[in-house]
Amino acid sequence: MTMSRRTFLAAAGFAAGTGLLSACSSGAQATTGLKGAPTTLEVFSWWTASGEKDALSSLVADFNLVNPNIKFVNEAVSGGAGTNAKAVLAQRLAAHNPPDTFQAQAGAMVGDYITAGQLEDVTFLYEQQGWKTAFNQDVLDLIQRDGKLYCVPVDIHHINLLWSNKKICDNLKISTAPQDIPEFVAGLTKVQSAGLIPLALSRDPSETWQCQHVLEAMLIGTLGADGWSALWKPGADWSSQGVTEALQSYHTVMSHAPGTGGNMSWDQVSAQLAQGKAGFQIMGDWTEASFQVGSFPLVPHVDYDWAPSPGTTGIFDFASDCFTLPIGAKHRDATIAWLIECGSQRGQDAFDTVKGAIPPRAKLASGERSLFDPYLQWSLDQWGGDRIVGSLTHGVVAPGAWNNAILAAVGDYVVTPDIEKLQSALVAAAAAHFALSAH
Ligand code: GAL
């Protein structure tokens, strides 16, 4: 039997708004070395949207069962994909005022913090907790340098997804799983003719990452897994005909995305789909979590549907949220307790089932799969069988400077939709990156 997110929260003893739980119902894990000494823990993330904040609360509730004396201080900064949070964090780190732990994505983003000397090596935790074999090896490879591990992954997110309003698609006789970009565009055109928003998206400058996310889907859908992965390695050819074709598709798809006329966050955009105002959204699987909270939940395959974004069947574009032990953390012991929670099966189940994500561990325990809803069980299967590639928009493949240059190019495109100019800017961004990394 599949347990819904609400049931899971109830089973964990968590109710929205009740804050921290007492430890009396636990007993399942030993308390940490903090014993009776009350302390605090500042947790920095960008999880403030619907689904995200509920998932964080679920994780905190489980954490406080084991660590009743650690008071969780939520230092989340709103803004999807961390657009605002990353800037605030950079200022804090520069001022040597780190939070006790912060969210970072496996791959290039964690790499930036390692290079800057801002993270403690936490290999000792992997040894102590037996995590070296418990975690997925590909994910571990992305958070290590010279054999040392620098953070603890708490989830795997699926990035290349097409979400649809199932009822709209059924009424208009459109497939919710278009196999290629032309079929997708034909569907968008039908939604437009019906007077609805074809592709829900914010075009606001503060939400350019949403447009970058769609670009990422078009590049993978056109170039395939190998072509996409080659873009991030020395010798990458951003001036290729393949990239031009991907940008042409992007241009066509974006012409069916009128924008919301304001700085709508990704979950407000998802709500347009949920409310029957829009046909499709290309977004990561945190979207699914937003369908399950608040005035919803919606019913999978009845109210909404999902599929790999067009042209990406068999490819799993992923990102993995991790937590860190910053150098200079004021409550280091509390951070260690938090990292143990994030790496534990209990913590990951409490978080991932609500977040719309799957665990980053190598194998699920027996019975664990049934905690996950139908979408997440599908994602688990795809993760097990697909070609895995890393996300640009969500921190895996490109370091911050390169990522920001691409984001700026996308922002310019949104203002002046000129794909030749976009391609030149992408070529220049790659050249700047490879010139810098040659030194
Ligand atoms: C991603 C992050 C997710 C989700 C999303 C929207 O970058 O990995 O956890 O929060 O942004 O904010």
Side-chain angles (χ1 to χ4, degrees):
M1 187 199 77
T2 300
M3 199 187 255
S4 74
R5 291 188 172 88
R6 278 157 196 261
T7 321
F8 184 87
L9 289 176
F14 173 74
T18 54
L20 309 181
L21 294 178
S22 82
C24 56
S25 55
S26 175
Q29 289 179 1
T31 49
T32 65
L34 297 169
K35 298 277 171 0
T39 187
T40 55
L41 172 75
E42 303 155 356
V43 178
F44 187 99
S45 75
W46 57 84
W47 292 327
T48 60
S50 63
E52 292 179 337
K53 59 179 187 301
D54 304 77
L56 183 58
S57 296
S58 178
L59 178 61
V60 172
D62 193 69
F63 174 67
N64 278 125
L65 289 174
V66 185
N67 300 281
N69 294 316
I70 305 180
K71 184 170 176 288
F72 168 78
V73 180
N74 191 352
E75 297 205 329
V77 173
S78 65
T83 37
N84 304 326
K86 284 185 268 184
V88 172
L89 180 66
Q91 286 169 0
R92 287 189 62 168
L93 294 176
H96 303 290
N97 175 31
D100 292 317
T101 184
F102 62 83
Q103 176 188 357
Q105 284 156 328
M109 189 194 288
V110 166
D112 280 346
Y113 294 122
I114 301 173
T115 303
Q118 289 159 333
L119 300 183
E120 271 199 45
D121 164 13
V122 292
T123 314
F124 69 94
L125 269 180
Y126 283 78
E127 280 155 5
Q128 204 183 81
Q129 302 290 322
W131 287 344
K132 281 195 164 167
T133 50
F135 274 93
N136 176 291
Q137 190 55 48
D138 294 334
V139 178
L140 291 189
D141 288 346
L142 289 169
I143 57 169
Q144 66 81 37
R145 184 158 311 163
D146 301 329
K148 295 174 187 164
L149 293 146
Y150 283 91
C151 57
V152 179
V154 69
D155 67 27
I156 299 288
H157 269 304
H158 204 151
I159 305 302
N160 55 316
L161 292 172
L162 177 68
W163 300 96
S164 53
N165 180 303
K166 177 85 166 92
K167 288 181 177 151
I168 293 177
C169 289
D170 286 353
N171 283 342
L172 298 174
K173 302 199 173 16
I174 302 170
S175 168
T176 57
Q179 284 310 296
D180 53 28
I181 297 171
E183 188 187 349
F184 177 47
V185 171
L188 291 174
T189 308
K190 279 195 175 179
V191 179
Q192 191 151 11
S193 307
L196 298 165
I197 300 167
L199 185 68
L201 175 80
S202 172
R203 287 172 168 267
D204 190 82
S206 63
E207 296 289 332
T208 304
W209 72 273
Q210 294 186 28
C211 304
Q212 190 191 36
H213 192 117
V214 175
L215 173 64
E216 174 166 343
M218 291 301 116
L219 282 163
I220 300 173
T222 308
L223 301 173
D226 288 335
W228 167 257
S229 302
L231 290 178
W232 313 105
K233 295 183 188 141
D237 184 6
W238 282 83
S239 64
S240 72
Q241 183 55 28
V243 172
T244 307
E245 276 165 29
L247 297 185
Q248 280 159 349
S249 295
Y250 180 56
H251 190 63
T252 308
V253 166
M254 288 294 280
S255 72
H256 291 84
T260 54
N263 60 338
M264 274 196 176
S265 57
W266 64 265
D267 57 323
Q268 291 170 321
V269 172
S270 305
Q272 292 190 312
L273 194 134
Q275 292 158 0
K277 295 179 184 158
F280 293 99
Q281 183 184 21
I282 292 178
M283 190 40 71
D285 50 5
W286 44 89
T287 287
E288 212 252 347
S290 78
F291 293 155
Q292 304 296 327
V293 294
S295 51
F296 309 121
L298 304 184
V299 182
H301 301 309
V302 175
D303 296 315
Y304 68 95
D305 221 335
W306 63 87
S309 53
T312 69
T313 300
I315 302 174
F316 191 123
D317 180 24
F318 94 105
S320 173
D321 294 304
C322 305
F323 278 96
T324 56
L325 175 53
I327 287 175
K330 289 182 284 293
H331 307 100
R332 188 175 181 278
D333 288 348
T335 305
I336 289 171
W338 175 256
L339 296 180
I340 291 172
E341 173 73 21
C342 292
S344 71
Q345 182 188 328
R346 274 178 64 140
Q348 292 178 1
D349 288 347
F351 182 75
D352 294 341
T353 51
V354 184
K355 184 71 166 60
I358 57 174
R361 299 194 321 283
K363 270 197 200 137
L364 291 193
S366 109
E368 195 179 356
R369 184 181 163 94
S370 65
L371 296 174
F372 292 85
D373 76 5
Y375 160 72
L376 289 170
Q377 293 196 13
W378 174 84
S379 192
L380 279 166
D381 293 341
Q382 304 299 114
W383 176 249
D386 278 1
R387 271 289 301 277
I388 308 295
V389 299
S391 171
L392 162 67
T393 312
H394 305 284
V396 183
V397 287
W402 190 6
N403 201 340
N404 284 339
I406 297 174
L407 197 62
V410 173
D412 288 346
Y413 166 83
V414 174
V415 177
T416 313
D418 175 340
I419 51 169
E420 263 179 50
K421 209 174 144 216
L422 175 58
Q423 188 159 13
S424 304
L426 294 173
V427 168
H433 166 76
F434 289 115
L436 198 70
S437 53
H439 286 102

